[in-house]
């Protein structure tokens, strides 16, 4: 891949107006060289402002840099120039999952599937979301959105840095910010697969919805939410105004004890977040 980047860079230097910037920018993005990818994508976009693929590439880079608002604008612009643009539809579906708007995510996924009915990732994602498995559908989209960076670059921080010394610190604790970015902890499904990112994406915006619901019901400020499941229990807490904590335990842990575990984890997360500010 480095040789490909070198060759493409040489081609672009010889012909700055060439569309080779699309391949170069995507390769840089996949390698995690986001600053370089950003420069290539932005320069290419300035030369080709009406090219939907250029807006799509720039949006991909912005999304990887967690600039979701601008990424949304770029994917929206791509659709204006090319209605039915597959990359833009997938990208917007991904962002709608990030903010918890499953209805809009599904609508964009289904539009993408109409444009590319043989795309296996789309078939899988649409099947999952139609079956009520929004988090799994978000995970399917996230696979192609994720740049090929070393795990430490954008992955979850080591649990010990946030939840050191807490019961079950190595699993079942997930700390995320308001945009759905994983800050610490990790979650795995019964098969042992890491589902931290899709769960975080699905939970983005939950704290705002909980706050609005509590206000409408006259309950004041919400401090925690608990739910029982067939295989286990979950508890949501809000360590700070801009962070959300999810605690997951099997059914052997009583709900009262789960709330205590969540409270301690939230306190640890609050301290850690203050240190990072």
């Amino acid at each position: 891949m480095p040789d490909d980047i070198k060759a493409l860079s040489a081609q672009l230097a010889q012909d700055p107006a060439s569309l080779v910037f699309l391949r170069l920018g995507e390769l840089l993005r996949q390698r995690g060289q986001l600053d370089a990818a950003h420069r290539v994508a932005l320069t290419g976009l300035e030369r080709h402002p009406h090219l939907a693929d250029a807006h799509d590439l720039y949006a991909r880079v912005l999304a990887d840099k967690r600039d979701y608002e601008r990424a949304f604008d770029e994917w929206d612009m791509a659709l204006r120039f090319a209605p039915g643009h597959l990359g833009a539809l997938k990208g917007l579906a991904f962002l709608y999952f990030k903010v918890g708007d499953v209805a809009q995510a599904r609508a964009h996924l289904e539009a993408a599937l109409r444009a590319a009915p043989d795309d296996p990732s789309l078939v899988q994602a649409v099947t999952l979301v139609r079956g009520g498995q929004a988090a799994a559908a978000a995970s399917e989209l996230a696979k192609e959105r994720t740049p090929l960076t070393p795990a430490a670059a954008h992955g979850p921080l080591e649990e010990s840095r946030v939840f050191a010394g807490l019961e079950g610190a190595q699993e079942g604790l997930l700390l995320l910010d308001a945009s759905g970015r994983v800050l610490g902890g990790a979650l795995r499904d019964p098969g042992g697969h890491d589902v931290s990112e899709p769960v975080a994406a699905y939970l983005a915006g939950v704290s705002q919805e909980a706050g609005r619901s509590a206000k409408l019901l006259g309950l004041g400020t919400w401090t925690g939410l608990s739910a029982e499941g067939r295989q286990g229990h979950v508890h949501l807490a809000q360590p700070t105004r801009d962070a959300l904590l999810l605690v997951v335990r099997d059914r052997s842990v009583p709900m009262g004890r789960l709330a205590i575990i969540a409270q301690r984890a939230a306190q640890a997360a609050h301290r850690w977040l203050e240190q990072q500010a």
Side-chain angles (χ1 to χ4, degrees), residues 62-160:
L62 290 171
D64 289 345
K65 293 169 75 71
R66 315 290 181 180
D67 192 345
Y68 299 125
E69 184 174 352
R70 292 174 65 196
F72 184 96
D73 290 341
E74 292 300 322
W75 272 316
D76 183 63
M77 187 63 70
L79 285 182
R80 295 187 185 189
F81 288 122
H85 190 283
L86 188 59
L89 288 169
K90 285 184 176 182
L92 288 173
F94 171 74
L95 292 183
Y96 277 121
F97 275 127
K98 292 288 288 183
V99 299
D101 192 336
V102 178
Q104 281 291 342
R106 174 175 174 169
H108 282 76
L109 278 178
E110 291 178 338
L113 186 60
R114 289 193 294 271
D118 296 325
D119 187 318
S121 66
L122 277 175
V123 172
Q124 177 72 1
V126 170
T127 299
L128 289 168
V129 77
R130 285 175 177 171
Q133 301 181 59
S139 177
E140 190 66 30
L141 282 180
K143 291 177 182 178
E144 64 180 77
R145 296 259 75 84
T146 305
L148 302 178
T149 54
H154 292 292
L157 301 173
E158 293 183 6
E159 290 85 347
S160 60

Side-chain angles (χ1 to χ4, degrees), residues 128-196:
L128 289 168
V129 77
R130 285 175 177 171
Q133 301 181 59
S139 177
E140 190 66 30
L141 282 180
K143 291 177 182 178
E144 64 180 77
R145 296 259 75 84
T146 305
L148 302 178
T149 54
H154 292 292
L157 301 173
E158 293 183 6
E159 290 85 347
S160 60
R161 295 180 61 183
V162 183
F163 303 116
L166 292 178
E167 176 185 341
Q170 300 305 313
E171 59 182 11
L173 293 170
L174 187 66
L175 179 66
L176 59 140
D177 65 14
S179 66
R181 181 169 63 99
V182 176
L183 301 176
L187 292 179
R188 297 185 182 278
D189 65 15
H193 304 101
D194 191 324
V195 294
S196 304

Side-chain angles (χ1 to χ4, degrees), residues 195-261:
V195 294
S196 304
E197 291 288 346
V199 170
Y202 186 69
L203 288 175
V206 166
S207 59
Q208 291 88 344
E209 290 299 324
R212 283 194 287 267
S213 297
K215 183 177 180 180
L216 287 172
L217 294 170
L219 301 177
T221 303
W222 78 281
T223 58
L225 298 171
S226 298
E228 297 186 18
R230 293 180 180 178
Q231 304 298 323
H233 306 310
V234 298
H235 186 95
L236 283 171
Q238 197 173 24
T240 69
R241 184 176 180 179
D242 299 317
L244 193 66
L245 172 70
L246 177 66
V247 182
V248 180
R249 292 291 184 270
D250 61 40
R251 290 185 62 85
S252 66
V253 179
M255 293 297 289
R257 179 157 182 75
L258 180 63
I260 294 174
I261 295 172

Side-chain angles (χ1 to χ4, degrees), residues 41-65:
L42 184 57
T43 300
L45 184 60
E46 289 172 347
R47 291 182 178 276
H48 305 277
H50 304 299
L51 182 64
D53 286 344
H55 288 278
D56 178 40
L57 171 63
Y58 191 37
R60 286 171 178 262
V61 176
L62 290 171
D64 289 345
K65 293 169 75 71

